[in-house]
Amino acid sequence: MYRTSAVDEVIINSLTSASVLQTGDTEKIQCFSAALAIQRERTDFGRLDIPLNKYDIFSQPVVIPVCPPVKIKKTFNANPFIRVCKIDILGVSSSALLHIGSVCEMTLQSRVKHIRHFLKNPYPDIEEEES
């Protein structure tokens, strides 16, 4: 199953937030990213300490789908190489993966809570969420 990954060129402008660039075979990959994105109408340079556990999204269990039983498959790769000439990517972010090669198991998770602070509620018909 395993083959040699031959890569001529990879151009990535940005690789951030628990992301992975992997060339070659991998047994197991686990990525996790938790982010709190706060947008304010008025600039406030004060200190901001908000614990992530205050928001349910960061503590809810991950629902893993039940996959159907795997049928045994035998593969013969006549060419022992995975050949890549060029990859040009603007950005890989938030627990994402760029993988060239074989992988047995991977878990990728990204959780983001967006909060918007306005001086005046732009949606007066909708109740404000507790922040």
Side-chain angles (χ1 to χ4, degrees):
M1 175 179 158
Y2 295 111
R3 298 186 283 173
T4 301
S5 299
V7 181
D8 291 337
E9 183 178 14
V10 175
I11 299 171
I12 298 179
N13 187 40
S14 177
L15 181 77
T16 62
S17 301
S19 296
V20 174
L21 164 63
Q22 173 72 37
T23 57
D25 299 330
T26 305
E27 187 67 31
K28 186 176 184 179
I29 295 174
Q30 290 182 300
C31 299
F32 176 78
S33 174
L36 189 58
I38 300 177
Q39 179 183 23
R40 292 185 169 162
E41 188 173 0
R42 181 185 64 192
T43 304
D44 184 1
F45 293 107
R47 189 173 166 168
L48 182 65
D49 286 330
I50 300 175
L52 294 180
N53 62 4
K54 180 178 178 182
Y55 301 99
D56 291 340
I57 188 171
F58 299 112
S59 60
Q60 292 173 349
V62 176
V63 178
I64 300 174
V66 177
C67 298
V70 178
K71 295 181 180 179
I72 302 298
K73 173 184 166 188
K74 292 195 176 206
T75 304
F76 172 74
N77 296 312
N79 186 344
F81 290 95
I82 296 172
R83 187 81 178 131
V84 178
C85 292
K86 181 180 179 183
I87 298 175
D88 193 349
I89 296 176
L90 182 60
V92 179
S93 180
S94 300
S95 190
L97 171 69
L98 169 59
H99 190 275
I100 303 165
S102 301
V103 64
C104 289
E105 179 184 339
M106 72 175 97
T107 305
L108 309 172
Q109 186 182 146
S110 179
R111 295 179 181 210
V112 180
K113 172 69 176 172
H114 291 273
I115 299 172
R116 290 175 176 83
H117 288 170
F118 295 102
L119 296 174
K120 181 180 173 193
N121 183 1
Y123 311 105
D125 297 340
I126 302 172
E127 287 187 33
E128 292 187 29
E129 177 184 325
E130 180 185 337
S131 56

